[in-house]
Amino acid sequence: MTDWKETKAWLVANGFAARDEALWTEALTHGSLGEGRDYQRLEFLGDRVLGLAIAEWLFENQGSASEGTLAQRLNALVSKGACAKVARSIGVPDHLRLGRQAREDGGAESSNILGDVMESLLGAQLREDGFESARALVRALWRDAVEGDAGRAKHPKSALQEWAAGNRRRPPEYALIDRSGPDHAARFTVRVSVKNVGDAEATANSKQEAETAAAKAFMEQYG
């Protein structure tokens, strides 16, 4: 762990306000230190900052995209893995405040911890400098991800799963409704449904292919 002077210089170099030492120390502190104040509350706040900032950004840049497409990209861009990738890119692991055991267990490289801390830093930015500043920071740090392929092309079943989650629906359910033909040329028909939305069917030479085709058909109809 580095001292506050070094940590502040690193934060400022990456666009963070970093004026209130107590606030930013809290944002970088893991519960394993047992200090009573850790990053969890700021993570809660930063999660909402990130979601709104990215949602607005996608809405502006993908004006013709459907709600399902926007939700798919949003879920990919605000995922724990995406947040951890940004955290690694700016050097968060070197400034994490971890208990000895947590550090020895690899906590400084944990995607879950890094993702959480990245969100807590955004929460701290909001608290110290307001939403406009936090949004600008998100746009700087997430630019490569937004301009890249994150959430653009996914397996149809993954896309449907994320669409359902993004729209606060129950997970999709797949059901084999027909199997016909001899074993060497079997045909499988699968129905996928999302409660209170609808369903779609597809037939293919394997159950897995039929599920994939059904998910694709569902997204084309409802996504």
Side-chain angles (χ1 to χ4, degrees), residues 1-136:
M1 290 183 288
T2 56
D3 61 25
W4 169 242
K5 184 177 179 180
E6 292 176 354
T7 295
K8 179 176 181 178
W10 162 72
L11 286 165
V12 171
N14 282 287
F16 296 95
R19 292 187 295 272
D20 182 344
E21 179 179 352
L23 175 69
W24 294 93
T25 297
E26 179 180 334
L28 290 163
T29 299
H30 186 257
S32 59
L33 276 179
E35 293 189 352
R37 296 293 293 270
D38 56 44
Y39 61 64
Q40 290 186 339
R41 280 171 53 83
L42 288 169
E43 175 210 343
F44 166 81
L45 191 60
D47 176 63
R48 276 71 187 172
V49 171
L50 178 61
L52 179 56
I54 294 290
E56 179 191 45
W57 195 359
L58 293 176
F59 188 87
E60 292 173 0
N61 289 353
Q62 296 182 240
S64 61
S66 68
E67 179 187 358
T69 298
L70 292 173
Q72 178 180 319
R73 289 221 71 204
L74 175 66
N75 289 335
L77 290 163
V78 304
S79 68
K80 200 68 71 181
C83 291
K85 186 175 181 179
V86 173
R88 292 187 180 97
S89 74
I90 64 172
V92 169
D94 293 337
H95 299 273
L96 275 177
R97 302 183 71 248
L98 291 163
R100 179 178 177 181
Q101 189 61 53
R103 186 168 294 278
E104 290 177 353
D105 290 342
E109 289 302 327
S110 163
S111 289
N112 283 335
I113 292 176
L114 289 175
D116 289 348
V117 171
M118 193 65 240
E119 291 176 341
S120 75
L121 290 171
L122 295 176
Q125 185 76 2
L126 175 72
R127 292 290 295 166
E128 190 159 86
D129 238 22
F131 180 73
E132 294 295 329
S133 176
R135 177 172 57 188

